[in-house]
Amino acid sequence: MENIFNLHQEELSEQGFTIVENIYTKDEVTQILKVIDNIDKSKATFRKSADLFAIRQFLKEVPATQSLIFNKNLTQLISQLFGQDFFVVKSIYFDKPETSNWYVPYHQDLTISVDKKVAIENFGPWTVKQNQFAVQPPIEILENIVTIRIHLDDTNENNGALRVIPKSHNQQIYRPEHIDWTKETETTCCVKQGGVMIMKPLILHSSSRTTNHQKRRVIHIEFSNIALPTALQWAEWMKVDVNQDIISTHK
């Protein structure tokens, strides 16, 4: 088992992503979706359109999912791949409907979510989405973040699976308009229901439109072990106790 974790850790470091299957059973996925289906979807942190339904600060807005998401498989994975000092700094639920034409071009995830806007050297530019502040931090903070994408549906090239450029996370800020397709290759990250994709946010990634009339529901959770400057706090903060399966939060 340790060798498997080592292989995933090496792949994440070298390629910028790795896929781990069977983190959740079909019944566990059903339980998570049942909780989501029963929530009040009218809150300000929820975004709903014909092409996308999204919940920002998902773990805080839908706390009943926390014990379901952080099962023993996931907490063991976090402990083995990241270490025991990493904590949640962002969580989003995405529902790409069966008829979605939502296309996302190649990009890197260059911002973090914070509690307020303050002038701090090397932090900027700033944006605001649904009353939530986001800022581009220094590169060492971005390089430290790791994202887990929990797949609640089978996801492939026909319903918006992520496409990535392997190893592009090693080039720090890599503008999409500068992609050299004579040197770069593209990989489609197909993940079965109950599996997870783990990625470095600096990897160039994109998502296509849905063509097979199948949903693509994903829970996106970002982790870090870096404290922000005193004047700032992460907009979300959740510590997962990988030994006792106890989740603690502040904010």
Side-chain angles (χ1 to χ4, degrees):
M1 181 64 73
E2 185 176 346
N3 289 336
I4 293 176
F5 285 126
N6 288 342
L7 288 173
H8 285 299
Q9 193 172 49
E10 289 174 10
E11 189 170 44
L12 177 63
S13 176
E14 294 174 7
Q15 301 295 320
F17 75 100
T18 189
I19 294 169
V20 187
E21 302 288 3
N22 301 315
I23 295 298
Y24 302 92
T25 66
K26 186 173 182 178
D27 286 344
E28 287 175 322
V29 170
T30 298
Q31 290 179 54
I32 293 170
L33 290 172
K34 185 177 180 180
V35 172
I36 296 170
D37 288 342
N38 289 330
I39 62 175
D40 175 7
K41 298 180 176 63
S42 62
K43 294 185 178 181
T45 49
F46 297 4
R47 172 187 170 189
K48 188 172 179 62
S49 70
D51 290 329
L52 174 68
F53 173 63
I55 304 174
R56 293 184 176 275
Q57 299 191 24
F58 173 71
L59 293 171
K60 186 161 61 175
E61 294 287 357
V62 193
T65 61
Q66 293 178 11
S67 61
L68 300 173
I69 289 170
F70 291 98
N71 66 6
K72 290 187 182 297
N73 286 340
L74 189 67
T75 55
Q76 184 180 25
L77 189 65
I78 293 168
S79 176
Q80 294 292 328
L81 266 61
F82 308 167
Q84 300 195 14
D85 59 343
F86 272 70
F87 45 84
V88 175
V89 297
K90 182 186 291 186
S91 61
I92 310 174
Y93 169 72
F94 292 110
D95 179 351
K96 197 171 186 178
E98 300 93 327
T99 57
S100 175
N101 284 316
W102 185 44
Y103 166 75
V104 181
Y106 268 106
H107 67 286
Q108 297 172 296
D109 293 339
L110 296 177
T111 63
I112 60 173
S113 296
V114 294
D115 62 333
K116 58 183 174 294
K117 181 177 180 179
V118 293
I120 300 180
E121 187 177 3
N122 298 322
F123 280 74
W126 291 79
T127 59
V128 181
K129 290 183 180 180
Q130 296 171 280
N131 299 318
Q132 182 171 297
F133 295 102
V135 64
Q136 183 170 326
I139 192 69
E140 58 267 20
I141 293 178
L142 293 173
E143 289 176 331
N144 172 262
I145 294 172
V146 186
T147 299
I148 292 182
R149 293 171 56 88
I150 300 166
H151 286 252
L152 304 177
D153 299 288
D154 290 340
T155 307
N156 55 43
E157 63 276 5
N158 297 316
N159 68 333
L162 282 193
R163 291 174 293 153
V164 303
I165 298 178
K167 302 184 179 181
S168 56
H169 68 299
N170 291 320
Q171 301 194 47
Q172 297 193 337
I173 306 300
Y174 189 177
R175 301 298 180 189
E177 60 269 23
H178 297 152
I179 298 173
D180 184 350
W181 289 110
T182 66
K183 298 180 180 178
E184 305 288 13
T185 58
E186 180 182 80
T187 297
T188 300
C189 300
C190 300
V191 187
K192 294 180 181 179
Q193 182 187 63
V196 303
M197 176 186 176
I198 306 171
M199 59 180 271
K200 302 294 292 184
L202 286 178
I203 194 171
L204 280 162
H205 56 285
S206 70
S207 176
S208 299
R209 296 176 175 87
T210 298
T211 60
N212 64 357
H213 301 289
Q214 293 181 4
K215 278 181 171 289
R216 191 207 71 179
R217 292 166 291 187
V218 173
I219 298 170
H220 170 116
I221 306 176
E222 296 180 14
F223 297 81
S224 176
N225 67 349
I226 289 181
L228 298 178
T230 304
L232 275 183
Q233 290 188 14
W234 298 97
E236 294 179 68
W237 190 99
M238 176 180 292
K239 178 64 177 176
V240 181
D241 190 322
V242 295
N243 295 315
Q244 301 180 38
D245 299 325
I246 297 172
I247 302 168
S248 61
T249 64
H250 73 58
K251 303 292 294 173

